[in-house]
Amino acid sequence: FHVNYTVETPWTTPPFVGVVREVSVQDVNECDVGFVRRYGEQCPELVPHCDVRGDAAAACVNTLGSYECQCPEYTTGDGFMPLRKEGITNDYNTDGVLLMTHPPSYMGGTGCVDTHKPHIKVLGSDPKILRVGKSDGWLSYNSDISDDNDR
């Protein structure tokens, strides 16, 4: 779009100059690693805050003007790290200046939580007793198990 404005220049005749500027607005991909490396320190409010820790890590998905954190299949949550106290959707400095607005899909930073119960189907006409150990997540395994082929 175009912006028309007048600049006062009292040392010229006439004492003003009319200027027309073309302004273009472009979407940035906040999820792009190169973008984060290049602008992360200068514009920390543009760095995605997806919870990428652990087995149920969220994926950053660029949207027009923002981004979303999407949880993997069989998990629920908003996919974000907790950023502030629940109910506060914006960050302000001590002077009341807005520092950051959270993306629309931010719901308090619940991360991604495994909600899918294991589904085990026993095949064959003579099923035996099957014992399953405790799981810490949908991709966890017991690190105490040796690497011998005795799993």
Side-chain angles (χ1 to χ4, degrees):
F1 60 93
H2 296 284
V3 176
N4 298 317
Y5 58 95
T6 303
V7 178
E8 187 177 356
T9 56
W11 59 89
T12 64
T13 303
F16 59 87
V17 175
V19 180
V20 176
R21 296 281 186 214
E22 184 172 328
V23 178
S24 69
V25 179
Q26 297 178 350
D27 180 46
V28 295
N29 183 352
E30 296 90 349
C31 300
D32 180 45
V33 174
F35 173 83
V36 172
R37 282 191 200 134
R38 186 169 181 186
Y39 298 108
E41 257 183 63
Q42 298 168 20
C43 303
E45 66 276 6
L46 296 179
V47 174
H49 296 283
C50 296
D51 189 356
V52 295
R53 302 168 295 172
D55 295 332
C60 184
V61 177
N62 187 49
T63 62
L64 187 59
S66 189
Y67 68 95
E68 293 179 352
C69 299
Q70 292 183 349
C71 291
E73 189 176 20
Y74 308 119
T75 64
T76 60
D78 67 3
F80 287 88
M81 295 184 297
L83 301 176
R84 302 283 286 161
K85 293 180 183 173
E86 191 171 325
I88 298 175
T89 57
N90 298 315
D91 293 338
Y92 296 87
N93 69 11
T94 55
D95 298 325
V97 176
L98 180 65
L99 298 175
M100 174 181 196
T101 301
H102 303 312
S105 60
Y106 180 79
M107 300 297 171
T110 62
C112 299
V113 179
D114 183 2
T115 57
H116 192 72
K117 294 182 179 181
H119 178 77
I120 300 173
K121 183 176 183 180
V122 180
L123 302 176
S125 60
D126 188 21
K128 305 294 181 201
I129 295 176
L130 178 66
R131 298 177 195 264
V132 179
K134 181 180 176 189
S135 173
D136 292 328
W138 65 287
L139 288 179
S140 68
Y141 73 97
N142 186 346
S143 59
D144 295 331
I145 297 175
S146 68
D147 237 0
D148 304 313
N149 292 325
D150 62 345
R151 294 185 191 189

